[in-house]
Amino acid sequence: MSTGPKTDQAPGARHAADSHDVIRVHGARENNLKDVSIEIPKRRLTVFTGVSGSGKSSLVFDTIAAESQRLINETYSAFVQGFMPNQSRPEVDVLDGLTTAIIVDQQRMGSAPRSTVGTATDANAMLRILFSRLGTPHIGPPGAYSFNTASVSASGGFRVERGEKTKTEKVTFSRTGGMCVRCEGRGKVSDIDLTQLYDDSKSISEGAFTIPGYTAGGWNARLYAESGLFDADKPIRKFTKKELHALLHQEPTRMKIAGINMTYEGLIPRVTKSFLAKDKEAMQPHIRAFVERAVTFTTCPECDGTRLSEAARSSKIKGISIADACAMEIRDLAEWVRGIAEPSVTPLLTALQGTLDSFTEIGLGFDEPTVGLHPHDIQRMNNLLLRLRDKGNTVLVVEHKPETIAIADHVVDLGPGAGMAGGTVCFEGTVEKLRASGTVTGRHLDDRAALKESVREATGTLEVRGATANNLRDVDVDIPLGVLCVVTGVAGSGKSSLLHGSIPADTGVVAVDQAPIGGSRRSNPATYTGLLDPIRKAFAKANGVKPALFSANSEGACPACNGAGVIYTDLAMMAGVATTCEDCEGKRFLASVLEYRLGGRDISEVLAMPVAEAEEFFGAGEARLPAAHKILQRLADVGLGYLTLGQPLTTLSGGERQRLKLATHMGDKGGVYVLDEPTTGLHLADVEQLLGLLDRLVDSGKSVIVIEHHQAVMAHADWIIDLGPGAGHDGGRIVFEGTPADLVAARSTLTGEHLADYVGA
């Protein structure tokens, strides 16, 4: 009998296979990592921590996980790889001991309006198959129940050659889809708020338009004032129906204005093309603010927000349509599915049941897996992480919350600072040793904010009456103004529904939500905040040239790399290669542009400055520029002093992107700020700085309303509104209103219990 090869291994010696108990990283240099070398134990829970921007995600996601994914992709044929995203090898010398990586990062899902929890997890696909089998009346295949599939039909003919004869054959095609025709499966229809386009009490000659770039006397305004289609000196509210139609909806018409041939078009289609068809996040701040004000979304009257056609809504199982099923809470839907007894679809029901039960188990309602979770929910997430580990998985978690750091088997602390001041491993070891390590994380791990000795008095109230958005149950509440008010409650209790869905839009509210910042690798803090505009104008004025020369996306761009600083070479199914542009040496600008200076610096040197250095540079001396200095102060206030002005937005961490958005909105006009979890991505050491920023906003006369789970922010509040008592249909009620001290004393809610434990009451 044949046997396998034998090894000359001494008794008791370690087996060769056991030497692969660690993931070994040597010489990692992605982003700000500085030749990081580290060994990470397998089959353990390792938490990576450090201040925001210290290099945690660069090590875990951009190096370890990226290489694991790249190696998996290489196992496919070259043909298949041609259809997959190309991934280049990370900047690292050695990476061995890797296993298959399942990546759960901070990239938000469902950015498209037709993406839902169901479509992202296949639960919706299984429901569609179920209804196509059991629904009555039967309306068609699974696509007939999909709000992403439109109904189409076509007919025609094609010629078939058979020998010397040619025959024309007719063909017809039809597909039944479930998409609502009116809203195209979005559930909402958009409209433009005319009050944001013009002041109808004024005439066009008097400057009625309130659209950016439509000031009286400018070409955009003259196009309408001199069109001759209406009286430009008459207030718009006195226009006849015909005149108003010409102003708002006129089809493109060629006409001559001031001797120049121009195309006249109604205001609504013109604004739609000029503003609404572009990437909102890539716009200048004042234009982005206009778009957010001008566009309103209302529930589709045709499908009542279900996104589905009438036929799809008419087909039912046990009296429930697919629209009804998708509107149920997951736990209720799981119970409904459990009650369907049909042998012909048993495998499908089992798979769907398993998916829905897993949602319920993790409390959906692992990059920072506790983001958006109440302290009560964090324990459930911790239990899930430990169960993943106990099944033999290697679990790598990027996290700031001390509750999750505490359960780690192994901790890696990066830093010591952020950006160029980070990128090194400051500590490796157990949680107990981390506490004694002296690192920033170690020193702040046991930080606990105390309740304030005195709270501010409200200067007024923001009334919310009869709020019913999502799961809210006819909520009436008076939100105090002139103070720091925290709205809290378990995940899914109705916090965002109350603030983002129930506060009227005309109350001067500036909302900073968690929507991701868009933009390409050409976008950076200088372009996103509007900082680059005054800088370009200052360079132009100092040198007597055009401002467009000082934009790498305009006339000043290096022609070899088109202002990108690098040249990308496509290698088909292999990963593309990015090389520094030899003409501009990565500086992105024409050599002639770099000869122009302001305060002794060229434009590329200015964009390479960290915020803190730029704040000093534009604060005094020859380069003093108050408009730029004000924006830089706001960036420094939110803790982004280490970011360079020209750093691509695509390289920022989740916490950095959130704070960049906050800094931008701090310049908006408005007396009420609504912030959605501003501690997202913040290290323990950064939370204190955030509290100081919130205090300064309130002390300057602003009203600050914060949706937050972090106990330090709750303890620092002047007033707390707690929603619950549970999530979904178990929530939607106000369970407490009052000061943090009263909440702790009462301990009547889950939030009160956790806050009392936090402050040691």
Side-chain angles (χ1 to χ4, degrees):
M1 185 175 75
S2 163
T3 60
K6 296 182 179 179
T7 58
D8 298 327
Q9 186 169 320
R14 190 184 189 199
H15 195 283
D18 294 332
S19 63
H20 301 287
D21 280 343
V22 296
I23 297 173
R24 189 163 65 96
V25 182
H26 183 77
R29 297 178 298 278
E30 276 295 315
N31 299 326
N32 68 331
L33 296 180
K34 298 174 181 175
D35 277 317
V36 167
S37 297
I38 188 174
E39 291 188 350
I40 302 165
K42 289 185 179 178
R43 298 179 295 281
R44 297 293 184 271
L45 171 58
T46 300
V47 173
F48 293 77
T49 188
V51 297
S52 182
S54 60
K56 305 180 297 297
S57 294
S58 297
L59 178 58
V60 176
F61 294 102
D62 299 340
T63 303
I64 299 172
E67 177 66 357
S68 174
Q69 190 65 56
R70 188 185 72 84
L71 292 175
I72 292 171
N73 290 355
E74 284 191 347
T75 64
Y76 298 105
S77 67
F79 174 76
V80 173
Q81 289 184 49
F83 295 95
M84 301 173 71
N86 287 332
Q87 291 183 310
S88 58
R89 189 179 188 278
E91 286 289 326
V92 60
D93 295 332
V94 177
L95 244 180
D96 63 25
L98 284 178
T99 54
T100 304
I102 297 175
I103 304 167
V104 185
D105 60 17
Q106 277 191 355
Q107 299 302 315
R108 294 194 171 270
M109 299 173 64
S111 57
R114 285 195 286 266
S115 298
T116 66
V117 171
T119 58
T121 60
D122 287 340
N124 203 281
M126 289 187 275
L127 274 175
R128 293 199 301 270
I129 297 171
L130 183 66
F131 273 87
S132 71
R133 300 293 187 273
L134 305 181
T136 55
H138 177 74
I139 62 169
Y145 298 88
S146 170
F147 51 71
N148 285 325
T149 304
S151 294
V152 295
S153 61
S155 62
F158 61 91
R159 293 196 306 171
V160 180
E161 293 185 2
R162 292 174 178 167
E164 296 181 354
K165 295 182 178 180
T166 301
K167 182 180 179 182
T168 301
E169 294 189 359
K170 292 183 178 180
V171 63
T172 61
F173 169 79
S174 65
R175 180 185 68 195
T176 302
M179 178 187 291
C180 170
V181 178
R182 173 74 181 275
C183 64
E184 296 183 341
R186 290 177 170 86
K188 291 182 178 292
V189 288
S190 60
D191 197 6
I192 294 181
D193 184 355
L194 297 181
T195 63
Q196 299 298 327
L197 303 186
Y198 53 77
D199 179 352
D200 68 356
S201 67
K202 295 181 179 179
S203 68
I204 295 175
S205 299
E206 293 172 328
F209 294 137
T210 54
I211 308 166
Y214 281 68
T215 52
W219 275 110
N220 284 323
R222 288 183 65 184
L223 176 67
Y224 293 92
E226 301 178 25
S227 66
L229 298 174
F230 34 71
D231 185 354
D233 296 322
K234 182 167 67 173
I236 293 177
R237 66 173 52 164
K238 294 184 179 180
F239 276 22
T240 64
K241 286 185 178 180
K242 183 178 180 180
E243 289 174 326
L244 197 60
H245 181 273
L247 172 66
L248 299 178
H249 305 289
Q250 180 82 23
E251 294 290 324
T253 306
R254 295 290 292 176
M255 60 176 57
K256 185 169 288 188
I257 294 178
I260 301 174
N261 288 323
M262 300 183 72
T263 299
Y264 177 94
E265 190 173 20
L267 201 59
I268 289 179
R270 199 159 190 261
V271 166
T272 301
K273 292 175 184 177
S274 301
F275 298 103
L276 309 189
K278 297 179 180 177
D279 178 11
K280 187 174 69 173
E281 295 297 344
M283 296 175 176
Q284 296 179 12
H286 71 287
I287 296 178
R288 185 165 61 241
F290 162 73
V291 171
E292 289 173 348
R293 292 193 311 269
V295 182
T296 59
F297 292 90
T298 56
T299 300
C300 174
E302 190 77 22
C303 66
D304 198 25
T306 64
R307 311 172 179 217
L308 291 160
S309 65
E310 184 178 356
R313 302 195 307 271
S314 70
S315 181
K316 298 183 179 182
I317 300 174
K318 297 174 62 175
I320 298 294
S321 70
I322 191 169
D324 299 329
C326 290
M328 290 181 182
E329 283 197 14
I330 288 174
R331 53 188 164 179
D332 295 335
L333 179 59
E335 285 300 317
W336 178 74
V337 171
R338 195 173 282 114
I340 299 175
E342 178 55 55
S344 64
V345 290
T346 295
L348 176 63
L349 291 170
T350 302
L352 179 56
Q353 189 69 57
T355 299
L356 297 174
D357 286 344
S358 67
F359 286 161
T360 306
E361 186 177 1
I362 65 171
L364 259 187
F366 267 105
D367 181 5
E368 291 192 53
T370 63
V371 165
L373 294 187
H374 187 273
H376 177 69
D377 301 311
I378 291 176
Q379 184 59 51
R380 301 168 71 180
M381 180 59 72
N382 285 350
N383 291 338
L384 175 65
L385 295 174
L386 292 173
R387 284 170 50 201
L388 285 172
R389 177 204 64 187
D390 293 344
K391 289 181 178 179
N393 295 299
T394 302
V395 184
L396 310 183
V397 177
V398 175
E399 188 53 84
H400 295 297
K401 295 285 177 64
E403 298 95 327
T404 301
I405 297 173
I407 67 168
D409 301 308
H410 189 71
V411 179
V412 178
D413 192 20
L414 283 95
M420 296 309 296
T424 62
V425 175
C426 301
F427 170 83
E428 293 180 71
T430 64
V431 178
E432 290 73 21
K433 291 181 179 178
L434 174 65
R435 285 191 169 91
S437 65
T439 66
V440 175
T441 303
R443 293 197 306 271
H444 291 273
L445 190 59
D446 294 316
D447 280 2
R448 296 292 182 270
L451 294 173
K452 292 164 68 171
E453 293 183 2
S454 61
V455 295
R456 303 177 182 91
E457 293 293 328
T459 58
T461 59
L462 185 61
E463 294 184 357
V464 175
R465 295 291 180 266
T468 56
N470 298 322
N471 68 328
L472 295 179
R473 303 196 173 193
D474 202 25
V475 169
D476 293 338
V477 63
D478 290 334
I479 302 174
L481 299 178
V483 299
L484 173 58
C485 176
V486 171
V487 178
T488 188
V490 298
S493 59
K495 304 178 297 298
S496 295
S497 299
L498 178 65
L499 294 186
H500 296 309
S502 305
I503 294 179
D506 57 353
T507 51
V509 170
V510 176
V512 185
D513 59 20
Q514 290 193 1
I517 287 178
S520 65
R521 53 180 168 249
R522 290 177 176 271
S523 302
N524 52 54
T527 59
Y528 182 79
T529 60
L531 172 65
L532 190 58
D533 283 342
I535 291 176
R536 289 168 55 219
K537 291 174 182 176
F539 263 97
K541 184 177 180 181
N543 294 279
V545 292
K546 295 189 295 183
L549 287 175
F550 303 98
S551 170
N553 298 324
S554 187
E555 294 182 27
C558 166
C561 63
N562 292 322
V566 293
I567 294 176
Y568 296 91
T569 305
D570 184 7
L571 299 178
M573 74 280 187
M574 294 187 291
V577 176
T579 54
T580 302
C581 176
E582 294 181 357
D583 284 26
C584 67
E585 298 179 340
K587 294 182 179 179
R588 305 174 63 193
F589 292 89
L590 286 163
S592 58
V593 172
L594 298 180
E595 294 177 2
Y596 299 121
R597 295 183 173 267
L598 176 68
R601 305 286 186 98
D602 65 43
I603 185 66
S604 71
E605 291 172 330
V606 168
L607 290 175
M609 286 182 180
V611 167
E613 182 183 342
E615 183 184 6
E616 184 178 339
F617 179 74
F618 289 110
E622 181 187 344
R624 183 176 180 274
L625 191 59
H629 188 255
K630 187 180 297 184
I631 297 173
L632 290 163
Q633 278 183 319
R634 293 198 290 264
L635 289 169
D637 277 345
V638 297
L640 295 178
Y642 59 89
L643 284 187
T644 58
L645 304 188
Q647 182 173 341
L649 294 187
T650 52
T651 66
L652 301 188
S653 70
E656 289 169 334
R657 292 192 294 268
Q658 174 84 346
R659 284 183 284 160
L660 179 61
K661 182 185 287 191
L662 173 58
T664 303
H665 282 288
M666 283 171 62
D668 293 350
K669 294 179 180 178
V672 182
Y673 281 77
V674 176
L675 312 181
D676 197 343
E677 293 191 59
T679 61
T680 297
L682 286 190
H683 186 267
L684 297 164
D686 299 322
V687 173
E688 186 175 348
Q689 182 177 5
L690 173 70
L691 295 177
L693 171 63
L694 298 180
D695 278 340
R696 289 197 297 276
L697 283 172
V698 176
D699 293 340
S700 69
K702 306 289 185 183
S703 300
V704 180
I705 307 167
V706 181
I707 298 174
E708 190 56 79
H709 297 295
H710 202 295
Q711 294 100 319
V713 181
M714 295 183 206
H716 199 73
D718 299 305
W719 193 259
I720 286 184
I721 297 173
D722 194 14
L723 280 92
H729 57 52
D730 291 334
R733 300 183 179 91
I734 304 293
V735 293
F736 176 84
E737 294 178 78
T739 65
D742 291 339
L743 177 61
V744 167
R747 296 181 77 123
S748 58
T749 68
L750 287 171
T751 303
E753 292 176 7
H754 284 279
L755 185 58
D757 291 340
Y758 176 82
V759 299

